[in-house]
Amino acid sequence: MGIPRWIGSWPVYRQLTGSDPTGRGVAVRSSHTDALKPRVSTADKVVKSVCPYCAVGCGQKVFVRDGKVTQIEGDPDSPISRGRLCPKGSASLQLTTGSARLDKVLYRRPHGTEWETLDLGTAMDMIADRVIASRREGWQWEDDEGTRVRRTMGIASLGGATLDNEENYLLKKLFTSLGAVQIENQARI
């Protein structure tokens, strides 16, 4: 009585009876696995980047084909993460290609119930007008004791941990020049 053919092709059987007892080589190979190609093999270029989710700064390799991001993986050359990414960092491809990613400005008017689409120029003008108005309304030349302060309490900044040192430096300079004193970064909180 012989062994059924399907058992002979079973990886565990090949592992136990063949030359690969640890099951890390030919015993676990199949025609299907031999035909598989890495998702990154079709990339035109690889760009090194930093994960945008927290202040750790894990290195990422961004694979691009035809000007579009096709895959994001951990960068083994990164001294911080050594090629590892947390679940959020591993899913960061969705930031660029995810179906839930918005690529237009949405605005809901005060007391409104519906969102409306605005062009970027209109939205930027609205933001600038509101910053100027808040600065003007909240401006203080002196505090309650008469000390000269030249500041506004109507504007504050809470930066995100996804910003690097240079971006945070520029934000600090911008808000300081506007007279804001309430400037913080989420990475420190």
Side-chain angles (χ1 to χ4, degrees):
M1 178 170 151
I3 298 171
R5 232 169 65 188
W6 66 271
I7 290 181
S9 65
W10 194 36
V12 173
Y13 179 78
R14 288 197 320 257
Q15 177 183 343
L16 296 173
T17 61
S19 62
D20 184 19
T22 61
R24 292 184 284 176
V26 294
V28 293
R29 310 264 331 153
S30 69
S31 58
H32 176 72
T33 55
D34 288 336
L36 293 175
K37 293 187 177 176
R39 289 179 285 205
V40 298
S41 64
T42 60
D44 298 332
K45 64 180 177 176
V46 179
V47 180
K48 295 199 179 227
S49 185
V50 176
C51 180
Y53 280 113
C54 74
V56 173
C58 297
Q60 291 183 324
K61 291 169 70 175
V62 180
F63 296 86
V64 181
R65 180 174 186 207
D66 298 328
K68 295 187 178 187
V69 176
T70 58
Q71 179 68 11
I72 297 177
E73 295 181 354
D75 184 1
D77 296 334
S78 169
I80 295 168
S81 58
R82 298 183 305 231
R84 297 172 186 90
L85 293 174
C86 72
K88 287 173 92 175
S90 296
S92 60
L93 178 64
Q94 295 174 10
L95 283 175
T96 59
T97 61
S99 59
R101 181 178 184 259
L102 294 178
D103 56 2
K104 57 188 170 199
V105 178
L106 295 179
Y107 176 68
R108 189 171 65 193
R109 298 194 179 276
H111 309 291
T113 58
E114 300 295 322
W115 292 96
E116 61 184 90
T117 304
L118 296 178
D119 65 281
L120 183 59
T122 302
M124 294 300 281
D125 288 342
M126 290 170 69
I127 293 168
D129 292 342
R130 290 173 183 184
V131 167
I132 292 168
S134 295
R135 184 176 185 267
R136 190 172 287 138
E137 291 169 17
W139 187 257
Q140 297 176 340
W141 284 104
E142 297 176 343
D143 64 9
D144 294 337
E145 288 86 36
T147 306
R148 190 171 184 181
V149 290
R150 295 182 297 188
R151 67 183 182 196
T152 182
M153 300 304 280
I155 301 173
S157 172
L158 177 60
T162 61
L163 304 177
D164 60 26
N165 286 342
E166 291 78 12
E167 291 167 321
N168 280 315
Y169 173 80
L170 292 173
L171 277 175
K172 168 77 167 119
K173 288 291 188 184
L174 170 67
F175 281 94
T176 301
S177 69
L178 289 171
V181 293
Q182 300 164 329
I183 304 170
E184 186 55 81
N185 185 289
Q186 180 264 330
R188 290 184 354 107
I189 296 176

